[in-house]
């Protein structure tokens, strides 16, 4: 692979930083990869207490080979931000691969880029995909044609290695896997609702209560706008 | 847990960003955690193409409960940066927990904080720990008293959940594990040298050649300074 492969991460306020820092770490070490981290107007972006600067201006990014949209609690506002969504729609329409991590798939869906596709998402929010005529996949990484989506947050690592193997070849992916020492060993199971102790699941769901209502309302409005946009 | 637990990440140029972004994502969601990302003079820090801004001034951080030092190709220069090392030494001497990810353990070792301890490190560099009278642990996460160290890069996630379980309690750690959907599923094995296909290991080792010589020279100089400092 001698050509450059441009991978664009369109950030927005309230992004979950690990959703893109993990795949960025993987892609950044692939031979020929050019990673571009962008935001509307090139503004600094805060996500979970980290502030990212010297970002590219999203509107000025001419095109990309891979569009990779991260998720986060800012997803709802991002889906309703016309400037952000116009860039996602424009870049996604021409990208060789349209990808996401976590609730980033809701943004792709709201941009109309997943219509009739299967996609993964964070377990707590994935049912919202159906509002956009997207089939929910409960897997950690889901491939449907040129669309590759990951589940919640940490699934971004598995997603990045699956996507890298496809884009840069298995040997390149394996070299970076070894270099980043990706042989995970969580101290306990429970990273999926069906594996978590019931009292933990209940506590997490209770803590998410308000965010769930809020995000559903946002997704309904985004779905309404998408219908208006495409009809 | 009602008290605040302050966790400080002392960054330096050339840090491997996932070494601290992964544990930061985990710690940041723990109840009562206060995460502080700092650098010498509060300067912006670039790591693998991402630039972090609005950092705390490391010299002005008064103290912390947890010191967490990330690794990276900038480790060698950091070990020889007196201003950086003075802060690491000062914060580490008073911290309840002294921790690291990847080659961050070499920095802790060079600061004299691991003398006579066992510690983990990235597989390619862990033998350098012996220069500082530190016993090498080949595990993904190593606990020795108040010292908790992780292996290479992605081990930072496992490290963070082990440390969080100890510091914030198992239920809190389990809630965040579920929230971040940490049920890893790499597309292939090979994240440790003994699990990687031989030709992949050989390619990675060949690519590391110059860096290995460079880092050994830096570690030898850091070990010399440590002896001068403590004798």
């Amino acid at each position: 692979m001698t050509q450059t492969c441009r991978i664009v991460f369109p950030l927005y306020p309230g992004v979950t930083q690990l959703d893109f820092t993990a795949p960025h770490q993987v892609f950044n070490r692939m031979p020929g990869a050019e990673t571009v981290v962008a935001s509307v107007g090139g503004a600094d972006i805060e996500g979970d207490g980290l502030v990212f600067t010297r970002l590219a201006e999203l509107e000025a990014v001419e095109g990309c080979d891979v569009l990779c949209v991260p998720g986060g609690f800012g997803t709802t506002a991002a889906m309703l931000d016309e400037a952000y969504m116009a860039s996602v729609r424009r870049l996604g329409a021409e990208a060789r691969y349209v990808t996401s991590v976590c609730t980033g798939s809701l943004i792709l869906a709201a941009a109309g880029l997943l219509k009739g596709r299967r996609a993964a998402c964070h377990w707590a929010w994935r049912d919202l995909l159906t509002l956009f005529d997207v089939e929910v996949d409960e897997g950690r990484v889901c491939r449907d044609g040129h669309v590759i989506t990951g589940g919640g947050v940490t699934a971004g690592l598995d997603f990045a290695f699956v996507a890298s193997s496809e884009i840069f070849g298995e040997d390149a992916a394996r070299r970076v896997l070894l270099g980043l020492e990706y042989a995970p060993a969580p101290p306990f199971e429970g990273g999926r609702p069906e594996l978590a102790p019931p009292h933990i699941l209940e506590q997490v769901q209770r803590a998410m209560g308000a965010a769930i209502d809020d995000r559903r309302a946002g997704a309904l409005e985004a779905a309404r706008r998408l219908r208006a946009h495409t009809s």
Side-chain angles (χ1 to χ4, degrees), chain A residues 79-104:
Chain A
M79 286 194 302
L80 301 175
D81 176 340
E82 295 296 344
Y84 179 80
M85 292 302 285
S87 288
V88 168
R89 212 175 282 121
R90 176 178 62 81
L91 291 167
E94 303 286 336
R96 274 205 294 145
Y97 294 96
V98 169
T99 75
S100 65
V101 176
C102 196
T103 52

Side-chain angles (χ1 to χ4, degrees), chain A residues 10-88:
Chain A
L11 303 192
Y12 51 85
V15 66
T16 294
Q17 55 90 358
L18 193 57
D19 284 16
F20 76 91
T21 51
H24 186 280
Q25 185 73 66
V26 174
F27 289 141
N28 202 47
R29 298 208 174 170
M30 293 294 157
E34 178 202 357
T35 49
V36 177
V37 184
S39 63
V40 172
D44 288 359
I45 292 290
E46 174 164 359
D48 295 305
L50 294 181
V51 186
F52 299 86
T53 193
R54 289 189 237 163
L55 305 184
E57 191 181 336
L58 184 57
E59 302 89 319
V61 175
E62 287 191 7
C64 63
D65 298 286
V66 181
L67 177 68
C68 183
V69 179
F73 289 106
T75 299
T76 307
M79 286 194 302
L80 301 175
D81 176 340
E82 295 296 344
Y84 179 80
M85 292 302 285
S87 288
V88 168

Side-chain angles (χ1 to χ4, degrees), chain A residues 75-162:
Chain A
T75 299
T76 307
M79 286 194 302
L80 301 175
D81 176 340
E82 295 296 344
Y84 179 80
M85 292 302 285
S87 288
V88 168
R89 212 175 282 121
R90 176 178 62 81
L91 291 167
E94 303 286 336
R96 274 205 294 145
Y97 294 96
V98 169
T99 75
S100 65
V101 176
C102 196
T103 52
S105 60
L106 293 174
I107 290 175
L108 291 178
L113 294 164
L114 300 187
K115 204 173 158 57
R117 301 271 182 185
R118 275 183 85 79
C121 187
H122 188 289
W123 62 265
W125 319 101
R126 60 189 171 209
D127 64 299
L128 296 179
L129 285 170
T130 59
L131 298 174
F132 304 95
D133 300 319
V134 179
E135 203 181 333
V136 174
D137 191 290
E138 299 197 353
R140 192 138 174 98
V141 183
C142 173
R143 169 91 193 256
D144 183 354
H146 77 306
V147 175
I148 310 177
T149 50
V153 197
T154 58
L157 269 177
D158 301 313
F159 150 78
F161 285 111
V162 168

